[in-house]
Amino acid sequence: MTDAPTAQRPYSPGLEGVIAGETSLSFVDGERGRLLYRGYRIGDLVAHGTYPAIANLLWTGDWDPTHRLATGQIPPAVMAVLRALPATTKPMDALRTAVSAWGATQDLPWPPTIEHARALTSFSPSALAAFARLRAGDEPIEPDPSLDLVGGFLYQLKGERPDAGTARALDAYFIVGSEHGFNASTFTARVITSTRSDIASAVAGAIGTMKGPLHGGAPSEVVDQLSQVGSAEHAEAWVRDALDRGERLMGFGHRVYRAYDPRAAALRTVAEGMEHRPDWLELAIQVEDVALRVLAEKHPERALKTNVEFYAAPVLMGVGLTPDLFPATCSLARHAGWTAHVLEQAADNRLIRPDVNYVGPAERDLPA
Ligand SMILES: CC(C)(COP(=O)(O)OP(=O)(O)OC[C@H]1O[C@@H](n2cnc3c(N)ncnc32)[C@H](O)[C@@H]1OP(=O)(O)O)[C@@H](O)C(=O)NCCC(=O)NCCS
C-alpha cells in the first residue's frame, strides 16, 4: 500500500544490517576473526578463566578469575513438572518448561538483578540434568556445592564426578558459547525485558528462539560426518569425495567470520592440552588438518576456515553427551550472555517496538 507513511522508509528483511541496540558485552569482529567479551579476547578468557568467572564478567564488568558458581537446587514444584513430562519430550522443550516453571516459583520483581541472573544460570544445568536422568528412568542427583557449575552439571547428569580434563573441556565450550552479540535469541530476551517482564520469561523466550534449526549451528551434523569419516587414514579420500559431490563440510565456513573462528581456536587449544583425549577429539583434530588443506586447494578464492561447531561436536561427544542434548547444552552456556543482556537492557530500558510496513488491501467497505 503506497500511501502508508512507512513505505517511504528503508526496510531490511530479517533486520539485516539494522543496528537495533548498543552493548558493551561482546564484540564479534568477523573480518579479523576476533571475539571480545568486555574487551577481553576469547582465547585469553578460555586460557585463564572458568565459566562462572566469565558469567560474572558479563554480569558485572569485573574480572575475577576465582569467582565460583555451583549448580542450584530445583524447587519441588519444578521437579514435579519435570517428572510429569513424557520421556519423549525434546530436551529444549524440557529446559524451556523448567525455566518457565522456575519463574513461577520465584519472586522476580522489576528490575532484574545480578542475583536473579546468578540464580537462573545455576538452576538450569540442574534442571536439564534432572530431566535427562528422569527420561532414562533414573533419579535426579542433588547438586554438589563443592563442584563448579560445569563439573556439577556433568556430575548431576552422569552420577559420577568428572575428571579435571573432561570438566575443563566442557567448561571451555561453555565459555565460548556464553555470548555472541545480537543473535536472534539474545534479541528475543531483550525484547521481552524491554516490556519490563521478568528474567525467567526473557530466558524462556530465548530458549524457544534458539530451538529453531536456523539459529544454532550444526554440531550433530559434524558428529554424523566424523562418524562417516571413521578414522584419520580415510579422512583425505572422504573429504575429497564429499567436495566432489558438491557437499559442504560441516564445521567449516561462516557467514560472519572470514578468518579462523576464534572460538574454534580456543576449543582446539583446550582439546590438544587434554591428558586423555577422547577418540572423538583425536579424530576431529586429524580431520581438521586434512579438511583445511583440501578446502584451500579447492576454494583458493575464499577463506573457508574452521567454525566453532567443528570443535563443539567432539567436545560434547567426548564428555559423554548424546547429540540430542547438544542444543540444550548450548542454551545452558548462553544463559550467561542472555541474562547479561537482560541486565543491560533493563539498566537503560526503552520498549523495543519497531514499525511494520502495511502491505494489505487499501481501506474498503465490508461486503454487503
Ligand atoms: C556457515 C555457512 C552456512 C556460511 O554460508 P555462506 O555465508 O553462504 O558461505 P560463503 O558465502 O562463505 O561461501 C559460499 C561458497 O563457499 C563454499 N563453501 C562454504 N562453506 C563450505 C563448506 N563448509 N564446505 C564446502 N564448501 C563450502 C561453497 O562453494 C559455497 O558456494 P555455493 O553456495 O555455490 O555452494 C556455510 O559455510 C556452511 O554451510 N558451512 C557448513 C555448515 C556449518 O558448519 N554450519 C555451522 C556454522 S557456525
Side-chain angles (χ1 to χ4, degrees), residues 198-360:
D198 63 278
I199 197 166
S201 300
V203 169
I207 295 168
T209 306
M210 194 178 249
K211 189 182 164 198
L214 294 187
H215 188 329
S220 46
E221 293 175 40
V222 176
V223 168
D224 288 347
Q225 284 200 345
L226 284 176
S227 49
Q228 285 171 36
V229 175
S231 67
E233 52 279 18
H234 296 134
E236 176 120 15
W238 191 91
V239 165
R240 286 186 185 280
D241 283 354
L243 292 177
D244 288 346
R245 285 195 302 270
E247 287 177 21
R248 291 190 173 200
L249 298 185
M250 293 297 142
F252 296 89
H254 198 274
R255 183 56 61 85
V256 178
Y257 291 116
R258 290 303 172 194
Y260 198 108
D261 183 334
R263 301 167 297 172
L267 281 185
R268 176 171 176 154
T269 304
V270 170
E272 284 177 330
M274 281 179 84
E275 202 182 330
H276 305 291
R277 287 188 203 167
D279 294 345
W280 279 98
L281 278 178
E282 200 63 60
L283 179 63
I285 288 170
Q286 291 167 350
V287 169
E288 183 194 15
D289 292 335
V290 172
L292 286 177
R293 181 164 45 76
V294 178
L295 279 171
E297 182 192 307
K298 299 237 175 208
H299 292 281
E301 76 296 350
R302 65 178 77 237
L304 289 172
K305 304 287 190 204
T306 317
N307 66 48
V308 67
E309 305 301 340
F310 187 76
Y311 277 106
V315 164
L316 294 172
M317 284 301 279
V319 304
L321 298 186
T322 51
D324 78 332
L325 286 175
F326 290 3
T329 307
C330 178
S331 290
L332 294 183
R334 192 54 64 84
H335 269 53
W338 286 334
T339 53
H341 276 277
V342 165
L343 297 175
E344 192 177 52
Q345 178 68 36
D348 185 18
N349 189 43
R350 179 152 177 85
L351 177 69
I352 298 174
R353 197 337 184 160
D355 280 338
V356 67
N357 200 14
Y358 176 67
V359 294

